[in-house]
Amino acid sequence: MDLKQAAKDTAKVLTSYLTFQAVKTVLSQLKETNPAQAYWLNTFSTKEALQDGETYLTALMAEKPDLAMRIMTVRQHIAEEICEFLPEMVIANLQQANMEHRRQHLERLTQLGDADHLDQSETLSTLEVSQESASDGERSLE
């Protein structure tokens, strides 16, 4: 596994997500201060793919550079605010999620084991009843 490439890919996804969050923030601000521009940005954002933040900003820069600059500023501010505690949160969330998945898996295995045990017990009970019936049949023949 190439950890450097994984880190680059993660950073790109995170950057695009921060762009999305910045667009949401700017849209919210514009709805209060400039509804017409908020409408335009919302319409633009539905046409352009926000999955790739850099491509989105390139397209926005060609149409409305002032909005692109504002979104980039908000995106950077969000990044600066969350980057301090983000690594610890990601690790803690992954550990918690992994523990929950393992717990659920163990519960399923335990339930399956119990079901297998019940099936075996029922099979043994059926065999014992059959053997007792056969024994009773032999006694009645004598």
Side-chain angles (χ1 to χ4, degrees):
M1 173 180 209
D2 185 2
L3 292 178
K4 285 184 181 180
Q5 187 59 46
K8 286 179 183 178
D9 293 345
T10 302
K12 183 176 180 179
V13 170
L14 184 57
T15 300
S16 290
Y17 182 74
L18 292 175
T19 303
F20 168 74
Q21 288 297 324
V23 169
K24 280 179 43 177
T25 301
V26 170
L27 267 172
S28 177
Q29 294 167 347
L30 287 174
K31 283 179 184 176
E32 293 181 20
T33 60
N34 189 342
Q37 199 169 30
Y39 179 79
W40 184 91
L41 181 59
N42 189 50
T43 303
F44 177 85
S45 298
T46 58
K47 292 178 191 171
E48 292 297 321
L50 249 170
Q51 290 82 5
D52 183 349
E54 300 315 305
T55 302
Y56 173 86
L57 285 171
T58 300
L60 183 58
M61 188 69 83
E63 300 260 344
K64 297 231 182 206
D66 57 323
L67 280 177
M69 295 290 193
R70 183 171 177 175
I71 289 169
M72 288 187 291
T73 301
V74 171
R75 174 177 76 165
Q76 184 172 345
H77 174 74
I78 294 170
E80 289 168 355
E81 291 296 316
I82 67 169
C83 280
E84 180 181 329
F85 52 87
L86 186 63
E88 293 168 4
M89 285 181 67
V90 170
I91 291 169
N93 286 346
L94 283 173
Q95 289 172 339
Q96 182 65 34
N98 287 348
M99 188 178 349
E100 182 63 23
H101 288 296
R102 288 180 179 123
R103 184 189 62 77
Q104 290 173 0
H105 180 67
L106 183 58
E107 284 178 359
R108 281 192 302 272
L109 288 177
T110 303
Q111 290 170 354
L112 288 175
D114 289 346
D116 288 344
H117 180 69
L118 287 174
D119 289 344
Q120 291 173 357
S121 297
E122 289 173 3
T123 303
L124 288 175
S125 297
T126 305
L127 285 174
E128 289 171 358
V129 168
S130 298
Q131 288 174 352
E132 288 174 7
S133 298
S135 298
D136 289 342
E138 288 175 6
R139 287 187 200 133
S140 61
L141 291 175
E142 294 176 354

